């Protein structure tokens, strides 16, 4: 009798624990995704990978796309434009290497990874930065195109986490993880290296670190923090230069200044690199989303002459950053 009672109590306890954990997990997601909107997203997309595409679609993918570079350099815009292509799906802020390490061996496969990327792309188009209906400080929606979905086939799957990916790959063990992903996917991996004017990039890194949004004409003076951001940027630049020689795939460079000046030419170059057909309407719609001019945050920060000269000299070390100047 006591044994039966103990079994009943155990079963009820386990059931209660599972219920509480699942409820807490759901509540956590609701809070993270934004209240009732988040709940609707959970109901629509599921919280346990319930939205799965036909496996034949994933088998038709021809290449996997990743980003390297620097924080605050324009990766989000570029990835959003590629996600708008009818035959490409690119997740936003998805740390492939980090997630892969967390997953069990059962989930370390092409189909599970692609399901996560597809779900991310859908949610970004629904209520994220690519949403045409939900307001954000920065909006990367491309009306009339294919963000969050696709047309008949998917040729490119990708994940955007630019500067973070470079930092990950500074560690040898993460290069081994990348090699494992490459072997499991059995697909060419292609990398986009997005480069913004380094002075603006460094200044924006500093402003974000200080949580500052200067008013027009205001200049932030923090020499120590600026030195720290210069060192961070140069470490990333050195690693990106090295990665181009050792990554298991091609690297294509995109300079933000060139994208602004000649958006159609740069978009055609991206399509060519990814072996995607560049439809005329796609080019036109994406070109409308590109900013008419660069954000020159370098002028919101006070630089010493020595700091300017240090950056200028360091930039000459790397082919991808040569030619940039503070007075551009």
């Amino acid at each position: 009798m006591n044994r039966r009672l103990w079994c009943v109590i155990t079963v009820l306890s386990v059931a209660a624990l599972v219920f509480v954990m699942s409820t807490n997990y759901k509540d956590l997601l609701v809070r993270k995704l934004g209240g009732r909107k988040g709940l609707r997203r959970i109901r629509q997309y599921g919280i346990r990978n319930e939205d799965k595409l036909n496996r034949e679609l994933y088998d038709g993918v021809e290449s996997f796309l990743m980003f390297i570079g620097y924080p605050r350099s324009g990766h989000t815009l570029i990835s959003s434009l590629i996600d708008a292509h009818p035959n490409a799906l690119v997740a936003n802020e998805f740390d492939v290497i980090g997630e892969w390490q967390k997953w069990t061996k059962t989930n370390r496969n092409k189909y599970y990874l692609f399901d996560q990327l597809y779900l991310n792309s859908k949610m970004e188009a629904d209520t994220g930065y690519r949403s045409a209906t939900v307001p954000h400080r920065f909006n990367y929606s491309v009306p009339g195109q294919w963000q969050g979905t696709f047309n008949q086939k998917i040729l490119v799957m990708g994940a955007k986490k630019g500067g973070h990916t470079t930092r990950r790959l500074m560690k040898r063990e993460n290069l081994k993880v990348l090699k494992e992903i490459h072997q499991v996917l059995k697909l060419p991996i292609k990398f986009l290296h997005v480069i913004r004017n380094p002075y603006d990039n460094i200044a924006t890194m500093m402003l974000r670190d200080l949580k500052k949004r200067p008013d027009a004409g205001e200049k932030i003076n923090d020499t120590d923090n600026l030195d720290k951001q210069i060192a961070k940027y140069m470490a990333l630049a050195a690693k990106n230069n090295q990665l181009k020689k050792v990554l298991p795939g091609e690297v294509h460079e995109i300079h933000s200044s060139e994208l602004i000046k000649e958006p159609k030419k740069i978009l055609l170059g991206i399509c060519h690199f990814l072996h995607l057909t560049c439809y005329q309407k796609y080019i036109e719609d994406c070109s409308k989303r590109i900013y008419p001019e660069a954000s020159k945050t370098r002028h919101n920060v006070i630089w010493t002459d020595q700091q300017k000269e240090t950056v200028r000299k360091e930039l000459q070390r790397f082919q991808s950053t040569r030619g940039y100047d503070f007075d551009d």
Side-chain angles (χ1 to χ4, degrees):
M1 185 68 178
N2 289 338
R3 187 174 181 180
R4 288 182 180 177
L5 181 60
W6 180 83
C7 290
V8 170
I9 292 173
T10 301
V11 170
L12 290 174
S13 298
V14 171
L17 180 61
V18 170
F19 174 79
V20 170
M21 289 178 67
S22 63
T23 302
N24 288 342
Y25 177 59
K26 186 174 182 179
D27 289 343
L28 176 64
L29 278 177
V30 170
R31 289 195 298 272
K32 186 174 181 180
L33 297 176
R36 292 181 180 178
K37 288 182 180 179
L39 183 57
R40 285 199 296 271
R41 288 166 71 184
I42 291 171
R43 287 171 179 165
Q44 183 176 356
Y45 300 121
I47 60 175
R48 297 185 185 278
N49 192 29
E50 291 155 0
D51 278 57
K52 297 182 179 180
L53 293 177
N54 188 308
R55 294 307 182 245
E56 291 180 2
L57 283 167
Y58 291 155
D59 289 337
V61 172
E62 296 179 353
S63 62
F64 186 69
L65 175 65
M66 295 179 68
F67 290 72
I68 59 172
Y70 319 86
R72 315 302 172 192
S73 62
H75 294 105
T76 304
L77 172 62
I78 299 295
S79 64
S80 298
L81 298 180
I82 299 172
D83 188 66
H85 192 280
N87 304 124
L89 285 171
V90 182
N92 183 42
E93 295 302 318
F94 192 96
D95 179 13
V96 173
I97 295 173
E99 293 298 322
W100 190 270
Q101 290 172 306
K102 294 176 187 175
W103 293 341
T104 63
K105 288 186 178 180
T106 303
N107 289 336
R108 291 179 185 175
N109 63 76
K110 175 175 71 175
Y111 302 116
Y112 185 82
L113 171 59
F114 286 3
D115 276 333
Q116 309 310 307
L117 301 181
Y118 173 54
L119 180 58
N120 176 294
S121 174
K122 284 178 66 176
M123 295 175 78
E124 278 292 315
D126 179 25
T127 56
Y129 286 120
R130 299 170 187 167
S131 172
T133 57
V134 178
H136 292 279
R137 184 179 174 218
F138 298 104
N139 185 276
Y140 301 98
S141 67
V142 184
Q145 291 303 317
W146 296 83
Q147 287 171 314
T149 185
F150 57 94
N151 184 18
Q152 297 184 350
K153 59 184 177 180
I154 306 169
L155 299 178
V156 175
M157 292 289 290
K160 189 278 292 183
K161 194 75 174 172
H164 189 79
T165 299
T166 295
R167 288 195 295 271
R168 284 263 189 215
L169 294 175
M170 286 179 171
K171 297 181 179 179
R172 189 180 299 273
E173 59 266 29
N174 288 331
L175 279 169
K176 292 180 180 178
V177 174
L178 180 61
K179 184 177 180 180
E180 179 187 333
I181 294 171
H182 187 208
Q183 291 172 341
V184 170
L185 294 183
K186 295 185 172 81
L187 290 170
I189 299 183
K190 300 194 174 189
F191 299 86
L192 286 181
H193 180 201
V194 183
I195 304 157
R196 179 186 179 189
N197 183 297
Y199 295 94
D200 292 326
N201 209 152
I202 292 166
T204 303
M205 288 164 62
M206 171 182 154
L207 294 173
R208 289 300 180 95
D209 188 54
L210 296 173
K211 297 180 172 58
K212 297 281 189 180
R213 290 184 185 176
D215 297 325
E218 182 183 4
K219 290 180 179 285
I220 305 300
N221 187 5
D222 192 327
T223 303
D224 290 341
N225 193 289
L226 187 55
D227 281 338
K228 182 174 74 172
Q229 303 309 326
I230 290 171
K232 282 184 179 180
Y233 184 92
M234 294 309 166
L236 289 171
K239 188 60 181 180
N240 286 323
N241 186 64
Q242 178 188 356
L243 286 174
K244 288 191 290 184
K245 304 172 185 177
V246 301
L247 285 173
E250 301 174 83
V251 179
H252 181 67
E253 289 187 349
I254 301 171
H255 293 264
S256 298
S257 56
E258 294 177 2
L259 179 65
I260 292 171
K261 290 178 184 176
E262 299 182 282
K264 294 182 179 180
K265 177 183 176 181
I266 300 304
L267 288 167
L268 281 168
I270 294 172
C271 287
H272 179 74
F273 174 66
L274 297 175
H275 297 160
L276 293 171
T277 301
C278 236
Y279 302 99
Q280 184 63 30
K281 189 173 187 306
Y282 167 76
I283 292 286
E284 292 173 357
D285 289 345
C286 286
S287 296
K288 295 174 186 175
R289 175 49 63 194
I290 296 167
Y291 307 122
E293 59 182 22
S295 175
K296 296 187 177 182
T297 52
R298 74 194 91 157
H299 299 305
N300 296 122
V301 169
I302 294 177
W303 300 70
T304 66
D305 290 339
Q306 182 179 352
Q307 287 172 326
K308 291 180 185 178
E309 182 62 14
T310 296
V311 173
R312 188 192 68 79
K313 286 183 178 179
E314 287 293 307
L315 295 179
Q316 301 309 307
R317 294 172 52 203
F318 315 112
Q319 185 176 358
S320 59
T321 56
R322 286 176 195 157
Y324 279 103
D325 189 82
F326 187 87
D327 297 319
D328 285 348

